[in-house]
Amino acid sequence: MSSPRTQISARELTEEIVPHLDLIEKLISTTLTSLIETTDSAEERERREDQKRRFELMLLSIRMNVASVTRRHASVIRAIQNGDRTDSSILQLDENEAIAMDNAKTLYEQVKAHTRT
């Protein structure tokens, strides 16, 4: 397994990671909740509920680390959000934040895959 990246661009954080987290949250809420509510199988319901809990826990951890990065780099993030399109600042990540950014990408792919099945 490769080491997580220790840097991320401010633009990637604000334009990819955060919107993907919002989409993940929506997909978890709508898709898995729907599957849980419509299944007749107790085993399938339990499996989907466990899956939903795992996704939500990972999402919570990721959001906490995104908040940490955002707090530490608030001025850069604000510049991006205010339309400063010339800013290509690189944000330094601590170990937990780096893992969380990798987990965000992995979770996004997993959730997308589960919505297709």
Side-chain angles (χ1 to χ4, degrees):
M1 183 175 177
S2 64
S3 297
R5 294 183 338 187
T6 59
Q7 300 176 332
I8 189 171
S9 74
R11 194 170 314 314
E12 183 179 0
L13 179 68
T14 59
E15 295 178 5
E16 291 179 33
I17 300 292
V18 171
H20 282 174
L21 292 178
D22 295 340
L23 181 59
I24 290 167
E25 194 166 35
K26 182 177 179 179
L27 289 173
I28 289 171
S29 178
T30 58
T31 304
L32 287 176
T33 300
S34 176
L35 290 170
I36 291 166
E37 291 172 352
T38 59
T39 188
D40 292 330
S41 165
E43 183 178 304
E44 178 68 10
R45 184 178 302 107
E46 184 176 321
R47 186 177 78 79
R48 292 295 186 175
E49 286 172 347
D50 181 58
Q51 186 178 54
K52 184 178 178 204
R53 279 189 298 272
R54 284 185 288 114
F55 282 153
E56 289 172 337
L57 185 58
M58 185 181 273
L59 184 60
L60 176 62
S61 173
I62 293 166
R63 285 211 182 264
M64 289 171 55
N65 280 284
V66 166
S68 173
V69 172
T70 303
R71 273 191 307 275
R72 288 190 308 104
H73 299 286
S75 61
V76 174
I77 301 298
R78 254 191 317 277
I80 293 290
Q81 291 172 333
N82 289 332
D84 182 1
R85 297 295 177 201
T86 62
D87 187 33
S88 60
S89 295
I90 301 298
L91 310 177
Q92 295 299 319
L93 304 174
D94 69 24
E95 183 180 354
N96 292 325
E97 294 163 348
I99 292 168
M101 296 309 124
D102 281 356
N103 286 345
K105 293 174 185 175
T106 301
L107 183 59
Y108 179 71
E109 293 303 319
Q110 288 176 347
V111 170
K112 276 185 10 183
H114 283 286
T115 59
R116 290 186 218 127
T117 60

